[in-house]
Amino acid sequence: MTIAVYPGSFDPVTNGHLDIANRAASLFDRVIIGIYDVPQKHLLFNTQERVDLMKKSVTHLRNVRVEPYSGLTVGFARAMNAKVIVRGLRMSSDFEREFEMALMNKKLDPDIELVCLMSSLEFQFLSSSLLKEACQLGGIIDSLVPAHVAESLKSKYNIRSS
Ligand code: ADP
C-alpha cells in the first residue's frame, strides 16, 4: 500500500488544490492532506478553519483524509507512514522552490520521495493569495473555489453574497 501526504497552507483551498488532490487520490492507495499549522506568512483562515474547509471539499474522495500538522513535512510524512510527498507545480516559479525543498527533504529523510503533479491548464494562474486579493477587491471568485469556500471568503471580507 502506498500512502502519500499532500501538504500545504491551503489558505483557503482552491479548485487548483482540489485538482491535485483528486489526481493524487487516483494514483495512491491513501492520501493524507496535511494542513500546515504554523506557516510563516500571514493567513486569513486559522488552522481549524482551513481543516474544516478542506474536509468539506474532499468528502467525495473515500481514500483521502485531512490532518493538521506542525514541524517538518518529512516528520509528518513519517508519522503517517507515507512514502510520498505530493506537491502541485504551476509554471516555472513553483519549480525552483519545490526543487530546493525536495533536496532538503531528501537530506532529512532519504526514504521519502517527492511526486510533483503538473497543474491543469485551467488552474495555472490560481493561487490562494491571488484569490484572496481578487475577492477582497470585489472580484467574482465563485468558479475558482467550492461554494462553501466562496461563502467563507466573502464573510471574512464582509462581502454580501449575490
Ligand atoms: P504552500 O504554502 O505550502 O505552498 P499552498 O496552499 O500555497 O501551500 O499550496 C499547496 C500545494 O498546492 C503546493 O504544492 C502548490 O504548488 C500547490 N498548488 C497551489 N495552487 C495550485 C494550482 N492552482 N494548481 C496546482 N497546484 C497548486
Side-chain angles (χ1 to χ4, degrees):
M1 167 177 304
T2 310
I3 302 173
V5 294
Y6 176 30
S9 313
F10 305 108
D11 184 47
V13 53
T14 69
N15 289 344
H17 294 131
L18 293 176
D19 174 51
I20 300 293
N22 270 300
R23 288 156 59 197
S26 69
L27 285 172
F28 302 106
D29 297 300
R30 267 202 236 152
V31 176
I32 299 142
I33 300 179
I35 312 284
Y36 193 31
D37 198 7
V38 274
Q40 294 165 350
K41 56 185 182 185
H42 180 71
L43 296 182
L44 181 63
F45 293 94
N46 67 34
T47 303
Q48 193 55 51
E49 289 171 323
R50 288 178 288 132
V51 167
D52 291 343
L53 290 173
M54 182 62 90
K55 277 189 177 166
K56 215 168 159 186
S57 306
V58 294
T59 47
H60 61 292
L61 297 171
R62 304 199 60 156
N63 59 340
V64 174
R65 155 172 143 220
V66 182
E67 297 286 344
Y69 80 99
S70 53
L72 288 175
T73 299
V74 286
F76 173 61
R78 230 181 289 130
M80 297 291 120
N81 285 321
K83 279 256 171 267
V84 174
I85 294 174
V86 172
R87 297 281 289 174
L89 277 191
R90 290 156 299 180
M91 307 290 184
S92 53
S93 53
D94 279 343
F95 174 77
E96 283 179 20
R97 188 161 155 254
E98 295 300 336
F99 194 48
E100 211 172 58
M101 271 198 315
L103 291 175
M104 175 57 94
N105 283 340
K106 203 74 191 157
K107 267 265 174 262
L108 296 171
D109 192 330
D111 292 334
I112 296 176
E113 287 296 339
L114 173 75
V115 171
C116 285
L117 300 178
M118 303 303 140
S119 173
S120 298
L121 207 52
E122 67 261 47
F123 303 125
Q124 284 286 339
F125 67 95
L126 183 54
S127 67
S128 296
S129 45
L130 254 186
L131 172 84
K132 286 182 279 188
E133 201 176 326
C135 182
Q136 192 171 18
L137 296 172
I140 296 167
I141 46 92
D142 300 68
S143 62
L144 304 174
V145 289
H148 64 279
V149 177
E151 282 313 308
S152 300
L153 264 173
K154 287 174 198 171
S155 96
K156 284 271 180 201
Y157 292 126
N158 289 320
I159 294 170
R160 233 181 279 144
S161 290
S162 43

